[in-house]
Amino acid sequence: MPMHERIIPYLERAGLYHLARLNSQWFCLDEPLVSAFVERWRPETHTFHMPFGECTVTLQDVAFQLGLPVDGEAVSGCLGEFEKYMEGGRPAWEWFEDLFGERPPPNKVKQMTVHFTWFHERFRVLPPDASEETVRIYARAYIMMLLSTQLFGDKSANRVHIRWLPFVANLDDMGSCYRVGYSGGFRL
């Protein structure tokens, strides 16, 4: 998904601009390689089981490789507490609609995920005359894509989980409250 110039200030405030820039300008993500690593990950030991032995990713590795800050509140994307983040107990899809201006079609939804292609097709081209609220919606979509595909990818590699709604709900506070890191769980 292209990074539009008008969403860069939101990415900078969120502390994710460097990651977005890496993805869009310096290298292409090797999705099969990432999938292979995901399959070799053992959460009980926090290591990758490789043919030549075990490997672990340290906090310093994340900070150095991705250029991301690694301090702040822990973020695991845990679904067990997802409901506590919902505003006033509203259903998740209503909150999604408020944040993105629409709901994805039913054929693009599976449980609490949205198919990657819907985000890509819907938010790929920012209209030239977009209002500031539209820019914020596109920034949220871009950040959701970064979180679901770059930082917290899963084996499906084609879905965006809505567990990240609490982190994109208030873009102005996102970077001041959370940082990305690794220490037995990710931080954002």
Side-chain angles (χ1 to χ4, degrees), residues 53-115:
E54 291 185 1
C55 298
T56 189
V57 177
T58 66
L59 180 62
Q60 291 80 14
D61 293 333
V62 173
F64 183 76
Q65 296 286 334
L66 300 179
L68 296 170
V70 290
D71 56 343
E73 298 288 325
V75 171
S76 67
C78 176
L79 297 179
E81 299 180 17
F82 184 62
E83 297 81 23
K84 85 176 188 178
Y85 293 108
M86 304 313 291
E87 293 177 347
R90 289 186 309 154
W93 292 106
E94 284 182 19
W95 196 20
F96 183 96
E97 187 173 5
D98 288 348
L99 294 174
F100 294 99
E102 65 185 276
R103 290 185 195 193
N107 66 333
K108 296 292 184 179
V109 173
K110 183 176 181 182
Q111 296 174 342
M112 300 299 266
T113 64
V114 179
H115 201 279

Side-chain angles (χ1 to χ4, degrees), residues 1-55:
M1 199 156 102
M3 180 174 39
H4 303 284
E5 213 172 283
R6 290 183 64 192
I7 68 169
I8 291 174
Y10 295 103
L11 294 170
E12 289 173 335
R13 278 184 259 163
L16 298 172
Y17 177 62
H18 185 74
L19 178 66
R21 205 174 88 195
L22 282 174
N23 187 42
S24 68
Q25 295 177 359
W26 293 348
F27 68 88
C28 293
L29 179 66
D30 187 344
E31 291 182 18
L33 177 64
V34 172
S35 292
F37 275 111
V38 168
E39 289 174 6
R40 296 176 186 277
W41 179 251
R42 299 296 179 259
E44 60 277 355
T45 59
H46 298 288
T47 58
F48 292 100
H49 289 255
M50 307 300 280
F52 51 82
E54 291 185 1
C55 298

